[in-house]
Amino acid sequence: MSSKTKIIVLHMREVIYTLIFLLLAIILGIVLFFMFGPGKAKNASTEAAARYTPGIYRTSISLADNTFDVEVTVDPDSITSIRLNNLSESTSAMFPLMEPALESLASQIYSSQSLENIQYPSDQKYTSQLLLEAIGSALSKAENKPAS
């Protein structure tokens, strides 16, 4: 049993070319993974699913020559705050149901994250409707419009 020794001759140029092509293939694989990997799809779906553009949106209301703002703060997916700004003491005294009506509406809107099926007492009907219209106007400014 004799073993025959085989001698393989490698040219240094061939080894270098093989290593370079192997390195390029690895780099290409890494780039493709980062371009089309699961992280990219996740970010695209969360951006597409965002309901609102985050920020603070205001709508002005005029009552008896007094103007005040309804301020709505939104995150990408939720309404986080609704409040009255620039409400003077005289307006607050003339329309005492304004702040209680807003508190009642805001608590319902926070829980449902919608302006649909909002309940309000009959003594606050017109005040609540006025506030709901203002809140709806502010939210329409905040909504993400589908790209066409």
Side-chain angles (χ1 to χ4, degrees):
M1 302 242 156
S2 71
S3 66
K4 294 184 179 178
T5 306
K6 293 183 180 179
I7 298 176
I8 298 175
V9 177
L10 296 175
H11 296 280
M12 191 59 140
R13 184 182 322 162
E14 292 173 0
V15 172
I16 291 174
Y17 286 155
T18 303
L19 290 175
I20 289 173
F21 286 128
L22 184 63
L23 181 66
L24 287 174
I26 291 171
I27 291 172
L28 179 65
I30 291 171
V31 168
L32 288 175
F33 176 76
F34 283 115
M35 285 179 62
F36 302 110
K40 188 69 170 181
K42 189 180 209 181
N43 289 340
S45 67
T46 57
E47 289 174 7
R51 186 173 175 187
Y52 303 113
T53 303
I56 299 172
Y57 298 90
R58 292 178 184 87
T59 300
S60 295
I61 297 177
S62 295
L63 290 174
D65 296 329
N66 293 313
T67 302
F68 59 95
D69 297 329
V70 174
E71 181 180 276
V72 179
T73 306
V74 294
D75 284 343
D77 297 320
S78 64
I79 302 165
T80 58
S81 171
I82 301 172
R83 61 189 191 124
L84 297 175
N85 272 351
N86 305 324
L87 184 65
S88 66
E89 287 184 28
S90 61
T91 306
S92 182
M94 288 184 349
F95 302 100
L97 297 177
M98 190 68 63
E99 290 175 349
L102 183 69
E103 289 175 16
S104 171
L105 293 174
S107 65
Q108 293 179 56
I109 292 170
Y110 296 151
S111 63
S112 68
Q113 291 297 314
S114 171
L115 299 182
E116 302 296 321
N117 301 321
I118 300 295
Q119 304 290 323
Y120 44 83
S122 60
D123 65 333
Q124 298 176 355
K125 178 180 180 181
Y126 298 111
T127 304
S128 297
Q129 288 175 348
L130 177 72
L131 290 171
L132 274 175
E133 288 177 15
I135 293 167
S137 175
L139 286 176
S140 68
K141 296 175 189 176
E143 288 179 345
N144 280 335
K145 308 293 188 246
S148 42

